[in-house]
Amino acid sequence: MTFLLRRLGGALVQLVAVSALAFALMELAPGDYLEDMRVNPQIPAATVARWRAEFGLDQPAIVRYGRWVRSVASGEFGVSMAYGIPVSELIAGRLGRTVALSLLALGLTWLLALPCGVWCAAYRGGWLDRLLGGGATVALALPELLVGLLVLQGALWAGWGPVSGRIGPAVAVLAAVSFPSVFRHTRSSVGQSLRLPFVDHLRAAGLSETRILFRHVLPASLNPLVSLLSLSLAGITSASLVVEVTLSWPGMGQLLLEAILARDVAVVLAAVMVAATLLQVANLIGDGLLYLADPRIRRRPA
Amino acid sequence: MEMRLAKLWRELLLATLILVPAWSQSGGRAIVVQRSEPRGFQPVYSVDEPSRAVIGLLHAPLLRIHSETQETEAVLAASWKVSPDGRTITVNLRENLRFSDGAPLTVADVLFTFAVHQDAAVASPLREVLQVGGKPLVVTAAGPRRAQFQMAEPYAAGERLLAGVAILPRHRMEAAYQQGQFRSLWGLGAKPSELAGAGPFRLKLVEPGRRMVLERNLHYWKRDKAGKPLPYLDEMEFLFTAGEDAQVARLLAGEGDLAASFGGGSYRAIESHRERRGIRLLDAGPSLDYTFLLFNLNPGGKRPWFAQTAFRQAVSAAMDRESIARLVYRGRASPIRGPVTPARLKWYAGPAAPAAEPRRLLSAAGYRWNGEGRLLDPTGAPVSFTLLVNAANPAYTQTGAIVEEDLKKIGIAVQVVPMEFRSLVDRVVNRKDYDAALMALRPGDVDPAADVNAWVSAGRTRLWNLSGQALHPWEASVDEKMRALMATRDQARRRRLFHEVQRILEQEAPMVCLVSPNLLLASRAGLENVRPGTIGDLVLWNADEWYWRRQ
Amino acid sequence: MAALLQIANLRVTYPGAVSPLAGVALEVAAGEAVGVFGPSGAGKSTLLRSIPRLLPAGTRIEGTIRFDGMELLDQPESAMRRLRGRRVAYIPQAPAEALNPVLPVETQVAEVLRVHFPMARTALRAAVMERLVRYFPENAARIARAYPHELSGGERQRVVICQVLCASPSLLLADEPTSALDSVAQLDFLRLLRQTQEQTGMSLIFVSHDRAVLRFVTTRQVSL
Amino acid sequence: MKACLVFLLAIHLLAAMAGFVTAYPPAEQHRENAWEAPGARFPLGTDGLGRDQWSRLVHGARISLCSGLAAGVLSAGLGLLLGGVAGLAGGWVDRMVTRLMELFLALPWMYLLLAARAFFPLETDARVVFTALLLLLGAIGWARPARLVRGIVMSVKERESVLAARGFGAGQWYLLRRHIVPETLPALATYLSLAIPQYVAAEVTLSFLGLGFSGSTPSWGSLVGSMGSLDVLTDAWWMGLPVVVLAVVFGCYSIVSSALAETQRQGR
């Protein structure tokens, strides 16, 4: 209980630090939300000045941050300058869709990459290893942006019908771009565990390779993989922004992308908070898994 | 059961429609694929294009500028009259106007609309626009269907001020306005039933981030020549998709019926799919947009060469605009030499005089070339400068590469610096710390009034020199001609003055205009009456007249 | 008495390397304990591992290895797998480190038993406990639930022996299992091994470079 | 492995002698030959401005390989340091570093890049800016490898041999050098084989976000990015060739790096 409370307290401190640093970073970057209007001859300079005052952009950064914090306390998470409505209202529906997409992609990635990684570690240099190793390298050379576009184009040529705005293709693309990392790390980690003496011992005792791999080696190599889990979640959530945009999945992607470019501070901060919270949760789950998976940590000799 | 009945009913209706040719134009839904989603439905604050596109269908102004003829046209007004002294405009409203919720639209709504825009607390972006000579328009009711607008001094484009100001439903908005909650009214989360407007459509359904459906406004005032009520279409749907590639892909995949404002590359991509997909492509020629190379002529600018007309002329003459149009825009852009494109029909001064040879211009101004072909200025210093381009847009980075290569040919070393848009604008507008920048502008109107801010010293968006002062005689000359042009209502004189201003800008080249991207459009065959224009929403401006041709 | 194991003319070639064994012969009778000695690099381990065919992929083994009337080199891999642990068991070089660190002892022993004698879960548990009690008469229950890191080195060795012998093999191969141990621990281990071998009547091949060790556990020694 | 080394060597040699193996400078535009398919004159075809793709590929290799490698190694080095310290020290140090990792993973770093770009004078050579920004990206990216290293260190720490060594009175430094660093090497090699291509290609996503920084200097990121539009995919298949080359190079990197980690492990 106290452990959880301490953990929650730490998470809160962390979130405050993340928001403050993110705010500071945004301050560093040149230009603000109204920059766009400054070069628009149809919008008089006086209007820009008035909007600046209305958005509080003429206030010092610390005042604006304070205002934002108060707004978080009231559950609004600030007001988007572009949309003129509270961020909580703005992201309500989209957040769920982004999280759903990310989690599905995370599940699919691990479901595929874990067995493939284990198998390829055991049969290093086999045909599957060569195939997946090669495929993963090509996937690495293609950023998620291009993979999304290639899928769009491929669907057009092959006449698969619409791929935009559907969750299936988006999940597939996300899983494809995050596959190499999980696959390679699994392969390397399992490859290392395969050299542990107990593997040979079990083989001599007559266990089948598959049994050895999945019942014995995999649990023994979970420790680094658990670290990878939260990393891959972080990677997938950031990649999902771009994939959502290329494949028109109506999540946070487009909103956030425009907000980043438009310096719509409140929206960016909200997205950063969401990412930080997700990471916290993933790390908590990761630590829990580690605790369960590694008796050396769970049951320390006194 | 009910569903099936409704379907049967619709089928029956359809059958009768086909039997009666005069009705054959009605019904159906057109799906427009947009690259960006509206930020909200608030007609006062929305300045971004996607919001304006939808709001333009939900609301209607008193007058508007016809997108094709570029002349003022009555919308909610039955007629309007400008007084001989040019200071009063009288507008008569049509009879029996109603908002989409059935409430009558009266002069009270007109007064409310302008009061809102002129209220400092509202901070409308039109507040300053609705001022003439620094004083706000005075709007009064001169009868139940008549409004009068008085200006402090004669203003040439007076009635154009009214164009594009959507008339707001007072009965829906006044409460929020009184309570000071006007800005948060009609945000993206607004329910369709809260909204009302006098435009051809009304909001039916919003799925944030995904799509938006509008349905016909049963109370819309307009009828076609046969007396049939507009709009013809039952519904307009907007499908939101991010980026040009996704936009084009969704059109090609048959998810949408119309897409516009994409680049030459996408045009080419659709072209190669065309036969198979039954899509009609249209290149409507140059738009009002112009891209240009901007010199930093602010006082204290670091590059002495820029202040010399001959240097700027030489740069302009060295530009291979044909190549930019052909390579960067894949042939879907028109080379231009001045900021006024041929799309501004009666205001365009015609092609500029042929440019002199750049090398001759430079040597006449005392420049020389060294053994390696580098250009040296009269003091013997090599000429080189940096060029900011918007990194997010490949068209600009490619144009930058062409400019770099063209200037290299005359010995000028240009370093292209790609930069994120807002950082770029910050440098150009706030810090004024740059040499040259590649930019693009879209005038909001064809009338010279639209250019005043961009070209005269007092205008705060004269990008090349933001000091507010005329530093050169030609800048003063532009100021003077534009001032005269804005004060007179003699259209021939205005035109002549505007042509002179264009010649000055071409001659002095503070911004070296390069190309005007063509307006490109793709629609499903069978969707008729889609006629891209130049002003307002370039494609949706006549959406009330669109119809499906039935086979 | 017929020989349980007959090796003749054995030649092992590792891929791309010199052959450590060329024309080796060895015979072991049922119940006999044979020691193999030789300097390091002579191919003692290779000889031992070639019997259950536990050599790296791509290794070529030629000659004959007859075990209980079967030619092992002709057997398919599936048959070899049934043989390993059940008929021919193998004790690794450092038994104390041959346990999976993340599974409890009970599970690890059960895994081996399960492969050779498929049975219901409760029966399996009972069988495991029965075997553990043989080696840990006082504290079998604690050992069963423990993880390797919670055991002492000696306990771990015992667990490994229990695991290796749980399917009552007829031939045990031991590859210098004591080389990493100090002399007291070594003696304990060797005693246990000899005792077990005598009790069960299985054959043993023990490989070591230390002839004193060999003399302690085996009745016959051959040099390689 | 040998073939890979030879190939990588050849690629680096080509990059080093870029000027000698190409017929045209990478920025030279042959405007009449835009979108030309591979042929005798342009072995990999030309892009939309008529620039020789072969020349751009070879010249781009120089800057991209160096800065991609440097960024990858920088992030891996920082990750090894911080992750190792966290895993070894445990306690509050570990908690601090872990929190810092989460912080780094969640922050919108794009703005730092914008600020950094604004910090450089405009006249700075595009290549310098490119390298500097990629290095910055590498420095920011330490959290990923650090988290991996920390996990490994924590499990290695519990291993018997390490406990035994500690029992002998082995110092932290000895443990680090003899037990812990070698254990993390395969994971780091794997990380590098993933990170280097990602740093090289980072530019594509960054320029999509409005932060392209290579300008008219060819880089592999910009080459990969230039194939990403419908008309190019439709019309100019050869614009995809650089991706094939990239994939082969990165594949070789990956094979070599894991082989190196292997020999390191065995040589212990």
Side-chain angles (χ1 to χ4, degrees):
Chain A
M1 193 60 210
T2 47
F3 170 77
L4 259 181
L5 272 181
R6 222 177 51 206
R7 187 96 199 192
L8 272 177
L12 208 67
V13 171
Q14 167 112 18
L15 284 181
V16 172
V18 166
S19 69
L21 277 172
F23 195 88
L25 276 178
M26 294 176 77
E27 280 304 303
L28 278 180
D32 62 34
Y33 172 70
L34 295 171
E35 226 61 79
D36 197 12
M37 299 180 187
R38 287 203 176 85
V39 285
N40 186 344
Q42 290 155 69
I43 301 179
T47 307
V48 178
R50 242 166 342 98
W51 282 25
R52 229 175 110 74
E54 183 161 333
F55 292 145
L57 288 175
D58 50 352
Q59 306 280 322
I62 187 84
V63 175
R64 276 179 286 138
Y65 181 66
R67 199 185 277 185
W68 181 78
V69 170
R70 265 204 305 285
S71 159
V72 170
S74 74
E76 277 196 340
F77 284 89
V79 174
S80 157
M81 287 187 270
Y83 289 81
I85 55 173
V87 173
S88 51
E89 208 176 301
L90 189 59
I91 64 174
R94 306 173 203 237
L95 183 59
R97 283 195 286 256
T98 291
V99 171
L101 175 66
S102 299
L103 291 184
L104 278 176
L106 187 77
L108 183 63
T109 307
W110 281 79
L111 218 59
L112 289 176
L114 206 62
C116 288
V118 172
W119 194 260
C120 291
Y123 301 99
R124 215 165 262 254
W127 64 270
L128 188 68
D129 191 25
R130 278 160 199 263
L131 185 78
L132 288 179
T137 321
V138 178
L140 276 177
L142 286 170
E144 57 264 18
L145 179 68
L146 277 182
V147 178
L149 285 176
L150 287 175
V151 167
L152 264 184
Q153 169 77 357
L156 270 185
W157 275 121
W160 292 335
V163 291
S164 301
R166 269 107 181 132
I167 195 164
V171 169
V173 168
L174 258 183
V177 286
S178 42
F179 177 87
S181 158
V182 179
F183 166 72
R184 286 258 177 95
H185 280 293
T186 307
R187 183 171 168 274
S188 132
S189 170
V190 169
Q192 234 174 331
S193 298
L194 271 173
R195 302 199 192 91
L196 293 177
F198 75 81
V199 176
D200 201 31
H201 173 54
L202 289 173
R203 213 174 268 147
L207 267 71
S208 71
E209 282 302 306
T210 325
R211 182 90 188 161
I212 294 177
L213 277 177
F214 289 96
R215 182 74 182 91
H216 296 265
V217 176
L218 187 57
S221 36
L222 270 186
N223 196 326
L225 293 184
V226 166
S227 309
L228 191 65
L229 183 70
S230 61
L231 283 182
S232 73
L233 182 68
I236 282 178
T237 37
S238 70
S240 85
L241 290 187
V242 177
V243 172
E244 281 180 21
V245 171
T246 44
L247 293 180
S248 307
W249 175 247
M252 301 258 299
Q254 170 89 22
L255 193 70
L256 181 58
L257 190 73
E258 282 174 7
I260 286 177
L261 293 177
R263 315 276 197 280
D264 197 349
V265 180
V267 178
V268 178
L269 281 183
V272 169
M273 302 303 277
V274 167
T277 314
L278 264 180
L279 263 177
Q280 296 265 3
V281 172
N283 279 347
L284 199 62
I285 294 174
D287 284 358
L289 277 179
L290 206 57
Y291 186 77
L292 288 180
D294 201 332
R296 288 166 296 183
I297 294 173
R298 178 161 26 119
R299 292 168 55 162
R300 234 172 250 280
Chain B
M1 193 57 210
E2 216 173 284
M3 287 274 291
R4 199 174 295 166
L5 262 180
K7 204 172 166 192
L8 193 73
W9 174 236
R10 204 154 51 217
E11 300 282 289
L12 272 173
L13 207 70
L14 242 148
T16 47
L17 286 182
I18 292 163
L19 289 176
V20 186
W23 280 59
S24 72
Q25 293 180 335
S26 281
R29 163 194 289 202
I31 304 172
V32 180
V33 191
Q34 299 273 64
R35 283 207 291 275
S36 191
E37 153 181 57
R39 312 277 196 254
F41 305 103
Q42 168 57 277
V44 172
Y45 295 110
S46 303
V47 288
D48 59 299
E49 261 181 71
S51 306
R52 298 236 50 100
V54 171
I55 289 168
L57 296 182
L58 300 178
H59 296 276
L62 293 173
L63 309 172
R64 74 167 177 181
I65 298 152
H66 192 277
S67 198
E68 287 175 317
T69 63
Q70 303 179 350
E71 300 295 343
T72 317
E73 172 193 41
V75 182
L76 296 178
S79 64
W80 79 95
K81 212 174 78 201
V82 183
S83 66
D85 67 353
R87 290 175 50 180
T88 309
I89 305 169
T90 309
V91 176
N92 294 309
L93 291 180
R94 289 176 193 276
E95 280 174 64
N96 296 327
L97 287 175
R98 284 180 188 282
F99 286 108
S100 54
D101 59 354
L105 188 158
T106 66
V107 75
D109 296 296
V110 176
L111 296 188
F112 172 72
T113 301
F114 283 88
V116 164
H117 279 293
Q118 294 180 330
D119 183 347
V122 169
S124 157
L126 292 183
R127 184 163 178 259
E128 278 76 21
V129 174
L130 293 174
Q131 291 177 344
V132 173
K135 302 219 176 63
L137 290 179
V138 178
V139 191
T140 47
R145 290 195 288 112
R146 176 176 297 180
Q148 241 171 26
F149 300 84
Q150 282 171 308
M151 293 171 277
E153 52 188 63
Y155 182 64
E159 72 273 14
R160 288 193 176 234
L161 290 183
L162 311 185
V165 180
I167 299 305
L168 307 173
R170 192 176 86 160
H171 63 288
R172 292 269 175 176
M173 302 183 95
E174 193 162 29
Y177 171 57
Q178 302 291 359
Q179 289 158 19
Q181 288 168 344
F182 200 67
R183 188 178 269 276
S184 54
L185 186 69
W186 294 3
L188 199 54
K191 285 189 200 58
S193 58
E194 295 169 28
L195 272 60
F201 291 91
R202 66 176 184 198
L203 192 62
K204 182 183 176 192
L205 171 84
V206 182
E207 288 178 45
R210 203 193 287 262
R211 66 193 193 117
M212 215 171 259
V213 182
L214 314 186
E215 61 187 350
R216 63 187 306 159
N217 170 7
L218 300 171
H219 301 285
Y220 188 51
W221 61 273
K222 200 171 178 181
R223 281 156 197 281
D224 67 5
K225 288 195 185 87
K228 196 171 131 27
L230 294 182
Y232 294 126
L233 292 174
D234 286 336
E235 290 186 342
M236 286 281 295
E237 178 173 337
F238 292 91
L239 203 60
F240 307 118
T241 209
E244 206 174 298
D245 287 309
Q247 184 193 19
V248 169
R250 294 191 94 160
L251 179 78
L252 289 174
E255 289 180 78
D257 302 315
L258 185 136
S261 306
F262 42 74
S266 297
Y267 190 96
R268 177 90 192 83
I270 301 173
E271 220 172 13
S272 51
H273 280 264
R274 182 158 55 158
E275 272 91 34
R276 226 169 72 196
R277 314 266 173 179
I279 285 171
R280 198 160 50 188
L281 268 168
L282 187 70
D283 180 347
S287 54
L288 302 189
D289 307 15
Y290 55 101
T291 63
F292 55 93
L293 192 155
L294 174 77
F295 290 113
N296 182 358
L297 298 181
N298 286 296
K302 277 183 298 179
R303 307 295 185 190
W305 322 299
F306 291 174
Q308 298 168 5
T309 302
F311 182 82
R312 298 194 303 267
Q313 283 175 339
V315 169
S316 179
M319 293 292 113
D320 183 357
R321 295 174 173 83
E322 301 291 339
S323 284
I324 296 175
R326 182 171 60 87
L327 301 176
V328 177
Y329 294 88
R330 305 210 69 176
R332 305 287 160 193
S334 313
I336 49 169
R337 295 271 301 282
V340 175
T341 71
R344 293 169 77 165
L345 307 169
K346 72 174 187 186
W347 299 107
Y348 175 51
E357 222 277 310
R359 282 178 183 267
R360 194 168 316 147
L361 282 166
L362 288 169
S363 32
Y367 287 80
R368 288 170 289 115
W369 285 267
N370 68 10
E372 292 153 13
R374 291 280 313 263
L375 183 69
L376 306 176
D377 71 5
T379 67
V383 177
S384 71
F385 60 89
T386 57
L387 174 67
L388 296 184
V389 300
N390 179 356
N393 191 338
Y396 296 152
T397 48
Q398 284 169 14
T399 306
I402 291 192
V403 169
E404 180 185 352
E405 180 103 339
D406 283 345
L407 291 180
K408 197 170 153 193
K409 284 179 193 148
I410 57 168
I412 300 176
V414 173
Q415 191 182 337
V416 176
V417 183
M419 201 171 257
E420 181 263 348
F421 182 64
R422 260 155 234 262
S423 310
L424 187 154
V425 173
D426 180 55
R427 259 180 199 271
V428 172
V429 175
N430 301 336
R431 294 200 269 153
K432 302 175 185 71
D433 172 22
Y434 70 105
D435 295 342
L438 203 64
M439 307 206 58
L441 281 180
R442 164 177 297 177
D445 190 0
V446 290
D447 190 275
D451 300 305
V452 169
N453 282 331
W455 296 350
V456 304
S457 302
R460 305 287 279 277
T461 46
R462 188 182 64 180
L463 295 173
W464 70 79
N465 173 5
L466 289 161
S467 68
Q469 317 281 318
L471 298 177
H472 304 278
W474 57 268
E475 284 179 337
S477 169
V478 168
D479 289 359
E480 187 196 311
K481 288 186 197 308
M482 287 301 281
R483 199 166 28 242
L485 182 156
M486 289 312 293
T488 178
R489 288 195 60 85
D490 175 352
Q491 292 302 316
R493 175 145 186 257
R494 295 187 75 210
R495 224 162 104 187
R496 204 175 54 242
L497 285 166
F498 194 56
H499 288 178
E500 284 169 24
V501 172
Q502 286 175 53
R503 290 293 176 233
I504 295 175
L505 290 176
E506 281 161 13
Q507 181 73 19
E508 296 295 334
M511 36 184 186
V512 173
C513 294
L514 300 170
V515 294
S516 171
N518 293 0
L519 174 63
L520 306 175
L521 183 138
S523 63
R524 193 154 308 283
L527 185 61
E528 298 294 329
N529 229 353
V530 178
R531 305 198 311 262
T534 45
I535 308 174
D537 193 287
L538 307 183
V539 179
L540 297 172
W541 66 276
N542 72 334
D544 53 354
E545 296 171 347
W546 293 1
Y547 64 91
W548 284 104
R549 180 164 38 91
R550 309 216 181 264
Q551 266 78 34
Chain C
M1 191 166 56
L4 179 70
L5 179 78
Q6 259 183 318
I7 297 176
N9 207 17
L10 184 69
R11 174 188 289 275
V12 178
T13 323
Y14 287 124
V18 287
S19 35
L21 288 179
V24 175
L26 181 70
E27 256 184 47
V28 180
E32 188 188 15
V34 180
V36 178
F37 67 91
S40 55
K44 301 189 296 289
S45 285
T46 305
L47 168 67
L48 215 57
R49 298 182 65 102
S50 62
I51 299 167
R53 295 220 318 249
L54 283 174
L55 291 168
T59 311
R60 233 176 50 228
I61 315 178
E62 291 155 304
T64 54
I65 303 180
R66 289 189 75 79
F67 174 78
D68 203 12
M70 259 187 298
E71 175 51 61
L72 292 188
L73 294 183
D74 295 342
Q75 298 298 319
E77 178 59 25
S78 58
M80 286 308 293
R81 205 185 303 139
R82 280 196 298 275
L83 201 82
R84 287 180 203 137
R86 173 71 191 86
R87 305 290 313 277
V88 181
Y90 178 86
I91 293 189
Q93 269 183 346
E97 285 176 32
L99 289 171
N100 188 339
V102 300
L103 293 178
V105 163
E106 191 179 22
T107 314
Q108 304 202 36
V109 178
E111 276 290 295
V112 180
L113 259 182
R114 208 189 56 97
V115 186
H116 300 295
F117 309 106
M119 56 180 118
R121 188 176 294 223
T122 42
L124 188 62
R125 272 184 77 94
V128 169
M129 280 318 289
E130 182 218 314
R131 280 162 177 88
L132 278 174
V133 168
R134 268 187 230 161
Y135 294 88
F136 302 94
E138 297 104 40
N139 51 2
R142 179 183 74 82
I143 300 285
R145 281 193 308 273
Y147 285 93
H149 71 282
E150 294 166 323
L151 301 178
S152 71
E155 284 170 330
R156 266 180 273 169
Q157 281 169 6
R158 266 174 185 265
V159 170
V160 171
I161 290 184
C162 169
Q163 200 183 6
V164 163
L165 299 181
C166 67
S168 324
S170 35
L171 173 63
L172 178 63
L173 310 169
D175 187 4
E176 303 207 49
T178 58
S179 58
L181 301 179
D182 61 89
S183 52
V184 181
Q186 197 174 14
L187 198 64
D188 275 348
F189 182 85
L190 294 177
R191 269 208 195 104
L192 176 69
L193 194 64
R194 193 172 66 178
Q195 193 187 339
T196 319
Q197 194 254 331
E198 280 162 2
Q199 276 168 8
T200 56
M202 63 181 175
S203 308
L204 170 70
I205 304 178
F206 196 109
V207 156
S208 177
H209 61 276
D210 186 342
R211 296 192 66 170
V213 166
L214 288 184
R215 272 196 293 274
F216 187 78
V217 277
T218 60
T219 47
R220 178 161 69 92
Q221 291 92 36
V222 294
S223 142
L224 201 68
Chain D
M1 162 77 187
K2 262 189 195 132
C4 287
L5 267 180
V6 169
F7 177 78
L8 282 180
L9 203 70
I11 285 281
H12 285 92
L13 263 177
L14 272 182
M17 305 191 308
F20 296 101
V21 294
T22 54
Y24 313 99
E28 191 174 292
Q29 298 165 7
H30 306 268
R31 294 185 188 166
E32 297 316 308
N33 304 85
W35 298 126
E36 198 166 290
R41 189 161 162 217
F42 303 105
L44 290 185
T46 61
D47 70 1
L49 298 183
R51 295 177 291 198
D52 182 17
Q53 281 286 91
W54 165 246
S55 174
R56 293 178 75 70
L57 183 74
V58 175
H59 279 90
R62 249 196 253 193
I63 181 159
S64 284
L65 286 179
C66 291
S67 26
L69 190 74
V73 169
L74 185 65
S75 69
L78 283 175
L80 180 63
L81 189 72
L82 284 158
V85 165
L88 262 187
W92 66 270
V93 176
D94 182 33
R95 277 202 296 278
M96 285 282 295
V97 176
T98 312
R99 293 261 171 253
L100 212 59
M101 276 182 222
E102 284 165 10
L103 214 69
F104 265 71
L105 284 172
L107 285 179
W109 288 111
M110 159 108 181
Y111 290 108
L112 184 68
L113 293 180
L114 292 184
R117 183 64 193 85
F119 170 78
F120 285 104
L122 293 182
E123 291 81 6
T124 318
D125 191 318
R127 278 165 297 191
V128 174
V129 176
F130 179 92
T131 314
L133 290 187
L134 220 54
L135 279 179
L136 185 62
L137 222 55
I140 294 164
W142 66 273
R144 248 153 213 290
R147 195 161 161 81
L148 293 172
V149 167
R150 173 179 169 268
I152 293 166
V153 168
M154 278 184 25
S155 75
V156 170
K157 211 164 62 163
E158 305 294 334
R159 202 166 281 167
E160 284 75 20
S161 53
V162 176
L163 290 176
R166 198 168 263 178
F168 299 150
Q172 294 278 13
W173 175 239
Y174 175 85
L175 281 178
L176 202 65
R177 203 160 46 86
R178 299 294 296 184
H179 289 273
I180 289 167
V181 170
E183 285 293 336
T184 58
L185 278 180
L188 275 183
T190 307
Y191 166 77
L192 270 181
S193 73
L194 293 160
I196 294 173
Q198 279 168 352
Y199 280 118
V200 167
E203 210 193 336
V204 181
T205 311
L206 283 177
S207 56
F208 176 67
L209 290 170
L211 191 85
F213 37 69
S214 70
S216 31
T217 319
S219 72
W220 281 8
S222 62
L223 285 180
V224 169
S226 64
M227 69 172 281
S229 71
L230 282 180
D231 61 319
V232 174
L233 292 170
T234 316
D235 278 1
W237 56 267
W238 59 91
M239 296 294 279
L241 290 178
V243 173
V244 179
V245 178
L246 252 70
V248 175
V249 171
F250 294 145
C252 288
Y253 260 136
S254 146
I255 291 169
V256 170
S257 71
S258 50
L260 280 181
E262 180 80 356
T263 43
Q264 175 77 21
R265 209 187 59 83
Q266 282 166 352
R268 188 154 41 113

